[in-house]
Amino acid sequence: MPPDRAWKPRAGIDRKARAAEQDRAAGSRLARAVDIGEGRYARASIALRLYRSTRRIRAYLRWSQEGGTQERYVGEVDAATRAANLAQAWRMAHAAGYVSAESVPPDSWASSPASRAVMSANKGRDTKPEKLLRSALHRRGLRYRVGARPLPNLRRTADVVFTKARVAVFVDGCYWHGCPEHHRPAKKGAAFWQEKIAGNRARDAETDEALSNADWLVIRVWEHEDPEQAAEQILKTVRSRPNPL
């Protein structure tokens, strides 16, 4: 009988670690794409199952499509470890044509599948720097709204909003907002990314002006800044406003 280490995932492994395990076995995240038509791809995983009656491990390709889980038998694997069996199964899936090379849709801004993956993974809310700052603010007794519009008629969403004090806080990513300390221009598609980031900065300036004209105070925190120091400064600012919390 094959040992558990040949097919069982380790105990307590979370979703993020499982995805990383699949990426390593497949060769990259982009190598896990199943073409589901019309330029769309689903991210697949390999499931290993031990059939005790035959004493063999079978590999299945699994992905989500239209609200349901799809599954396809890949074949039997016989390596001594789970990692090796996953890698073997991914090679079989590619050889059989079950997994496609992901391409960039015609209407995408991305210059390559890799850059598209980075753009897709970029979170618009609840990033790690945002969560750290919110926790620091909460520990200081501040209460706030998250991901809200300071002005209902202005299509701009602030990361943290103090409604009574009229303070809007934005946590800006160093790359996407052109941090003077950490931003490094892209080498590939440089003109496109330069224009994209310049547009983000222009939008930031426009947002700041619109809120300032409506008697709001805007605070921008770079993602690299210490959240405790930023929270302390925000606390002082909020309490100094005409209608503090």
Side-chain angles (χ1 to χ4, degrees), residues 24 56 61 70 78 92 121 157 167 178 184-185 188 200 216:
R24 287 193 299 271
R56 295 182 181 274
L61 191 70
Q70 306 296 317
D78 55 6
M92 294 165 64
T157 301
V167 173
R184 297 293 181 271
K188 189 172 183 179
N200 288 343
W216 277 74

Side-chain angles (χ1 to χ4, degrees), residues 4-190:
D4 286 353
R5 65 188 180 90
W7 63 280
K8 267 190 176 183
R10 69 175 186 271
I13 186 172
D14 60 18
R15 185 175 180 179
K16 184 176 181 180
R18 283 178 182 271
E21 177 188 48
Q22 294 286 339
D23 290 346
R24 287 193 299 271
S28 76
R29 183 171 183 268
L30 297 174
R32 294 169 50 203
V34 173
D35 189 345
I36 57 177
E38 299 179 355
R40 297 178 301 144
Y41 294 87
R43 201 69 58 197
S45 297
I46 292 289
L48 300 177
R49 296 175 189 154
L50 173 64
Y51 284 79
R52 298 185 180 279
S53 58
T54 61
R55 299 185 179 184
R56 295 182 181 274
I57 300 171
R58 293 182 178 179
Y60 295 83
L61 191 70
R62 292 168 57 87
W63 68 95
S64 295
Q65 184 175 347
E66 297 178 356
T69 299
Q70 306 296 317
E71 187 172 277
R72 190 166 196 169
Y73 175 63
V74 175
E76 293 184 350
V77 291
D78 55 6
T81 66
R82 174 178 168 81
N85 278 326
L86 286 175
Q88 183 181 341
W90 277 112
R91 288 193 296 270
M92 294 165 64
H94 278 278
Y98 299 157
V99 184
S100 304
E102 185 172 349
S103 61
V104 179
D107 58 348
S108 176
W109 288 1
S111 58
S112 68
S115 62
R116 183 169 182 258
V118 171
M119 292 171 69
S120 299
N122 182 56
K123 298 175 67 175
R125 176 176 168 174
D126 292 337
T127 62
K128 184 177 180 180
E130 288 176 29
K131 290 181 177 180
L132 290 173
L133 179 62
R134 294 199 313 245
S135 295
L137 292 171
H138 196 274
R139 286 195 296 273
R140 286 164 172 77
L142 292 175
R143 300 300 178 261
Y144 44 80
R145 296 180 64 194
V146 175
R149 290 185 184 181
L151 300 176
N153 60 342
L154 180 67
R155 296 187 63 181
R156 298 290 193 278
T157 301
D159 298 310
V160 177
V161 177
F162 299 92
T163 307
K164 290 183 180 180
R166 300 172 76 84
V167 173
V169 180
F170 296 84
V171 181
D172 293 336
C174 289
Y175 181 80
W176 296 101
H177 295 264
C179 169
E181 293 184 41
H182 300 102
H183 176 72
R184 297 293 181 271
K187 294 182 179 179
K188 189 172 183 179

